[in-house]
Amino acid sequence: MPSLDYVSIIRSVYGDRGAMLAGSVASAFAAGLTAWKAQSVSLYVVAGLFLVLGLVRDINMRAFWKAAISADDGEAAQYWENRAVVLGAMLALVYGLWCLVAMLIVRDPYAELVSASLTIAVMVGICARNFGLDRLVTIQMLMVIVPLSLGLLLRADIFHPVLAVLLIIMLLSFRKLAADIRAILLSAVHGRVEASRLAAELDMAITTLDHGLCLLDDKGAVSVANEQALNFFALIGAPNLLRAPLSAVLRDRSAAGKLPAIGVERLLDLVERRASGKVQLSVADGRHYEVTVSSGRDRCVLLIENISERVAADERITFMARHDTLTGLPNRAYFGELVADDLEIRRRKRSDALRSLTIIDIDDFKHVNDTYGHIVGDALLVEVAQRLRSVVGADAVLARLGGDEFVIYGRSEAGPERDSQTIMQAFGKPFHLEGVTLNVNASLGLVSSTQGEDTLDDLMTKADLALYSAKAEGKATSQIFHAQMDVDYHYRQRLKVDLRHAISAGKLSLAFQPLLDIGTRKVVSCEALARWEHPELGQVPPSTFIPLAEEIGLISEITAWVIGEAALQCSQWPGQVGVAVNVSARDFRAIDLQGVVDEALLRTGLPPERFEIEVTETAVIEERDIASNVLAGLARRGVGIALDDFGTGYSSLSYLSALPFSKLKIDRSFVSEIAEQPRALSLLTNVARLGRDLDLVVVAEGVETEAQLNAMVAHTPIQQVQGYLFSRPLPQRDIAELISRLNAGSARQTNRRIG
């Protein structure tokens, strides 16, 4: 509550000291009369309390007015409110005790009648006097209601308790009445103050307003105009404005070419109809003004605002909202508007001209950003936009969808195949960017249509499917949409739904492929591989459902489950056989990988040296910093770190020395021809020797024949092998038996050699 209102209310509480004294004396007299009638000492005490409280309250009121607090001293007002609350509560309590004594102790009908009726009457006075202080009214009500109700409720009949309930309801309604009075009074006060304030502000606004203001009388003549309005009309050649009919002035200036005729007629129409609205006027010197018409009864007000800067800013904002800030190309939203307009025109004209929509995705753009920085990445996007702009047709729409994706829509006169070749040629030459020369490729997804009923969403979906197919074929290619892509898309969507359900229902399982020591032929570790058996489609290959899991964001959930389940199974295997789990780049950010591993080892009791994490070089490159920290933490715990599929990625030797790898797994592509090609065997040997020189355990993947194994034993320093020659991935129920059989057989052969 504002201090001004608060102090006023406190003053009203302390007002009319004479009425307060008269009430106290009257109450004391009434209490004394009932005491004399009933010959009750208790009631004489009550009469005395009324007199004492009356004197104390009189002294308090004199002190308040002597203090003379200022109109905005809220702190002092609160002090005097607290004093009023204490004394008011004491007075109300005396009234309540009067009723209680009369009803329970004295039990004189006259005393009961006088105490109850006078108390209720006093409560009406309290509401009228103290309505401004809700706390005071509430406390006084309670001080009266509790003793009065107690006196009625303890009478040994049904009638007095009923009366008590009715009195409680009535007294509570008094509090609501006080609140309503307070609200009405404050509303009236605030309304008066607000009206005065608005009047002063309106006068100030008219004189200091930055915009022009004109007030028209009931005949349409200008009766009031501020300086800014006079300046506007002087600018258009109408200096004599006051008392002149507005319609005549505006039509004269329109005929002189100073104002646009259409804008003038719209403005005058609003004025003549006594309507409200806005009209934009462009004057001859290129400035823009907005005239706001506000009408009420038989008057009109015109507000004239110079919006030249706003118009220019709006044009810039519109351009920025519709275009990509980096390349200057239309963005996704504006591209959608342009294509939707063209498709609508085609539908109206029933045109069957061939149109094509092509989505272009720069291959390995993230690698460019991560390796050379965002400055080079942005420069590449700008150069790509310029090259694409140079090869598309004049009527084609080229836009940037976001990230490293561009889109082209337009007439396809040469056919979709020729269009895709033209676009691919834009990437034929190297890009020279910020001192860096890059050979950059792109993948294209293209759809063509002669159907006027095609929507933008239909075309975009089909082009996306074609782009997905192009990337699946190895990038740097283009694909034209065909119907089978749509079938494949819906099949994948179904698999995504089913995979999500399988993960939540725990329907995945594990298979394990052993790694053998090349010298002893003992199983030293097993690689854990996720498997999914679809209830209708049977076994779904990992090469199918793992990418799907990455697309729907569940790959890390699978990884966490595999880590826990693999550790549990490994803890039940004989000997010191370990287990390895593959992790993806997304796992480094999506889950607390180190925490998941620690929790699995703690829960299963598996020693850290029997657990291994396998990562690909691509995963390390994509999340280099966080991967380095996580892998270093795992290595300190004793967990093994293996670099998987070495030779298929960037094969950067810097990662081998910078990260805490303990094992190097050479990809199967190095192994497949070593039995027939000496060159392949020499390459494998050198790669293996590199790993050994770095003190890494070297593993050869994809060993499928005895000839391959014999060549490795004879010519390479490889220590461990993995492949179908020894075992395919086996379900968890069979792997323990295989480990026991192979390791027991190897032990017997060793014993025979020793014997």
Side-chain angles (χ1 to χ4, degrees):
M1 182 185 300
S3 296
L4 184 64
D5 295 341
Y6 185 34
V7 173
S8 298
I9 289 174
I10 297 300
R11 286 175 175 171
S12 69
V13 171
Y14 280 90
D16 201 352
R17 184 169 54 86
M20 183 277 298
L21 279 175
S24 297
V25 172
S27 298
F29 177 78
L33 189 61
T34 58
W36 179 78
K37 167 69 171 56
Q39 292 299 304
S40 170
V41 176
S42 301
L43 293 179
Y44 278 120
V45 172
V46 171
L49 289 175
F50 278 129
L51 288 175
V52 172
L53 279 175
L55 291 174
V56 173
R57 293 179 69 201
D58 180 68
I59 294 171
N60 185 54
M61 293 178 75
R62 289 174 183 272
F64 170 79
W65 290 109
K66 186 176 181 180
I69 65 174
S70 63
D72 58 352
D73 192 349
E75 184 176 350
Q78 185 174 13
Y79 167 76
W80 288 104
E81 178 192 355
N82 293 335
R83 294 183 61 158
V85 168
V86 172
L87 293 175
M90 295 172 64
L91 178 64
L93 181 60
V94 172
Y95 278 107
L97 292 175
W98 184 16
C99 296
L100 180 63
V101 170
M103 294 176 184
L104 287 185
I105 299 175
V106 178
R107 291 182 177 265
D108 180 75
Y110 178 73
E112 293 176 0
L113 176 62
V114 172
S115 63
S117 58
L118 192 58
T119 297
I120 293 173
V122 167
M123 294 314 300
V124 175
I126 287 175
C127 291
R129 183 187 186 88
N130 302 333
F131 68 90
L133 298 177
D134 181 66
R135 180 166 63 119
L136 177 55
V137 173
T138 302
I139 292 175
Q140 288 183 306
M141 287 292 179
L142 290 175
M143 294 296 102
V144 170
I145 289 174
V146 172
L148 175 59
S149 302
L150 188 61
L152 291 171
L153 291 172
L154 294 179
R155 297 295 290 268
D157 57 42
I158 189 62
F159 303 104
H160 285 84
V162 171
L163 180 59
V165 173
L166 296 176
L167 287 175
I168 290 172
I169 294 173
M170 183 182 69
L171 292 175
L172 290 176
S173 69
F174 286 172
R175 180 175 178 272
K176 177 64 169 57
L177 176 63
D180 292 342
I181 295 173
R182 181 172 62 254
I184 292 171
L185 178 63
L186 291 178
S187 176
V189 171
H190 292 165
R192 185 178 68 253
V193 172
E194 183 68 11
S196 299
R197 184 187 64 81
L198 289 176
E201 290 183 356
L202 179 60
D203 182 66
M204 179 67 70
I206 292 177
T207 57
T208 62
L209 189 65
D210 289 337
H211 310 319
L213 185 142
C214 293
L215 176 63
L216 306 184
D217 61 19
D218 56 347
K219 296 180 181 180
V222 179
S223 60
V224 177
N226 65 359
E227 183 178 355
Q228 287 75 13
L230 295 175
N231 291 338
F232 167 74
F233 280 96
L235 176 68
I236 60 175
N240 301 319
L241 181 64
L242 291 177
R243 305 304 174 189
L246 180 67
S247 58
V249 173
L250 292 181
R251 287 194 171 102
D252 177 71
R253 294 298 84 200
S254 174
K258 297 293 185 179
L259 293 174
I262 296 177
V264 167
E265 292 305 319
R266 287 183 56 202
L267 177 58
L268 292 178
D269 177 65
L270 290 175
V271 173
E272 291 170 1
R273 292 188 294 108
R274 292 296 187 266
S276 298
K278 294 184 178 183
V279 177
Q280 184 171 322
L281 299 177
S282 299
V283 299
D285 66 351
R287 300 186 204 179
H288 300 275
Y289 290 84
E290 183 178 73
V291 182
T292 302
V293 180
S294 300
S295 302
R297 297 182 182 178
D298 56 352
R299 294 287 192 273
C300 278
V301 176
L302 274 60
L303 191 66
I304 306 168
E305 179 183 1
N306 187 341
I307 60 169
S308 301
E309 293 184 1
R310 192 173 77 192
V311 169
D314 287 343
E315 291 175 351
R316 291 194 299 270
I317 292 173
T318 299
F319 182 86
M320 293 171 63
R322 290 181 168 185
H323 293 78
D324 174 50
T325 56
L326 180 63
T327 63
L329 297 177
N331 57 20
R332 178 187 289 269
Y334 189 37
F335 172 78
E337 294 176 15
L338 295 174
V339 176
D341 291 343
D342 183 75
L343 292 175
E344 180 61 28
I345 294 173
R346 291 183 63 194
R347 278 190 289 270
R348 288 202 304 266
K349 294 183 176 181
R350 297 183 179 180
S351 171
D352 59 355
L354 184 64
R355 289 286 194 274
S356 67
L357 187 145
T358 307
I359 298 178
I360 303 105
D361 184 274
I362 301 174
D363 294 337
D364 300 318
F365 180 73
K366 187 177 187 304
H367 175 64
V368 174
N369 264 341
D370 292 343
T371 305
Y372 301 103
H374 290 282
I375 295 178
V376 173
D378 289 348
L380 174 60
L381 293 173
V382 172
E383 180 67 21
V384 168
Q386 293 174 353
R387 292 193 185 187
L388 290 176
R389 192 183 285 113
S390 68
V391 298
V392 300
D395 64 339
V397 180
L398 168 64
R400 182 187 175 196
L401 294 179
D404 59 347
E405 283 193 340
F406 297 82
V407 62
I408 301 173
Y409 170 83
R411 179 176 297 178
S412 179
E413 298 180 353
E417 292 85 359
R418 181 57 185 165
D419 290 342
S420 63
Q421 292 175 5
T422 301
I423 295 171
M424 294 296 281
Q425 288 173 1
F427 294 86
K429 297 180 180 179
F431 290 81
H432 303 285
L433 312 163
E434 303 293 334
V436 177
T437 300
L438 298 176
N439 291 307
V440 177
N441 295 315
S443 299
L444 276 60
L446 186 146
V447 60
S448 58
S449 172
T450 59
Q451 302 296 320
E453 298 304 317
D454 280 334
T455 66
L456 175 60
D457 287 342
D458 293 336
L459 296 176
M460 290 292 291
T461 299
K462 293 175 181 178
D464 267 328
L465 294 175
L467 177 63
Y468 181 86
S469 177
K471 284 187 168 294
E473 290 193 1
K475 304 179 182 180
T477 60
S478 63
Q479 283 288 325
I480 301 173
F481 174 81
H482 52 78
Q484 184 60 38
M485 291 181 181
D486 193 43
V487 174
D488 294 341
Y489 170 74
H490 286 91
Y491 171 72
R492 289 174 57 80
Q493 295 304 108
R494 176 195 174 184
L495 283 183
K496 289 179 182 179
V497 174
D498 294 345
L499 177 59
R500 188 182 297 274
H501 174 72
I503 293 172
S504 63
K507 298 298 184 181
L508 299 185
S509 62
L510 285 183
F512 297 90
Q513 188 173 27
L515 282 76
L516 281 72
D517 183 277
I518 198 169
T520 64
R521 302 296 197 272
K522 284 186 176 183
V523 177
V524 294
S525 180
C526 292
E527 182 178 357
L529 304 167
R531 292 292 183 263
W532 176 30
E533 184 169 1
H534 194 282
E536 298 177 13
L537 304 176
Q539 283 288 344
V540 180
S543 59
T544 298
F545 77 81
I546 292 299
L548 290 180
E550 292 181 342
E551 288 183 23
I552 61 179
L554 294 180
I555 186 63
S556 295
E557 188 173 335
I558 295 177
T559 300
W561 173 80
V562 172
I563 289 173
E565 188 66 19
L568 178 62
Q569 295 299 319
C570 182
S571 66
Q572 301 170 7
W573 294 341
Q576 296 298 311
V577 176
V579 69
V581 175
N582 293 280
V583 298
S584 68
R586 190 170 299 179
D587 295 331
F588 287 109
R589 288 195 178 274
I591 58 175
D592 178 9
L593 189 59
Q594 187 172 348
V596 171
V597 173
D598 287 343
E599 192 275 335
L601 297 180
L602 180 63
R603 178 169 50 85
T604 61
L606 185 70
E609 58 269 14
R610 292 180 62 189
F611 195 86
E612 191 171 70
I613 291 293
E614 293 189 5
V615 295
T616 63
E617 188 178 3
T618 302
V620 173
I621 288 176
E622 290 182 4
E623 301 291 350
R624 179 171 182 173
D625 294 335
I626 190 171
S628 298
N629 294 332
V630 172
L631 295 179
L634 290 171
R636 286 193 296 269
R637 289 272 285 113
V639 174
I641 310 296
L643 181 59
D644 196 16
D645 298 334
F646 182 76
T648 60
Y650 302 99
S651 300
S652 174
L653 301 182
S654 63
Y655 289 104
L656 291 178
S657 60
L659 296 175
F661 291 115
S662 57
K663 181 179 289 186
L664 182 68
K665 299 186 72 174
I666 302 175
D667 187 70
R668 63 180 63 247
S669 59
F670 286 81
V671 176
S672 59
E673 297 181 348
I674 60 172
E676 298 83 16
Q677 297 289 339
R679 185 182 181 88
L681 179 59
S682 177
L683 179 59
L684 176 63
T685 301
N686 288 316
V687 172
R689 184 174 295 114
L690 171 65
R692 293 295 299 275
D693 290 342
L694 294 174
D695 198 24
L696 302 176
V697 175
V698 180
V699 182
E701 299 179 300
V703 180
E704 299 181 353
T705 67
E706 287 285 352
Q708 292 172 346
L709 179 62
N710 293 334
M712 290 182 201
V713 172
H715 300 286
T716 73
I718 288 174
Q719 298 154 284
Q720 296 177 10
V721 288
Q722 178 183 11
Y724 284 3
L725 175 62
F726 310 101
S727 174
R728 293 176 176 272
L730 296 177
Q732 56 192 40
R733 63 178 179 273
D734 298 332
I735 190 63
E737 178 184 349
L738 177 68
I739 293 172
S740 299
R741 178 166 53 82
L742 290 178
N743 287 4
S746 299
R748 286 194 296 271
Q749 292 178 8
T750 301
N751 291 335
R752 284 198 297 270
R753 287 197 297 270
I754 295 174

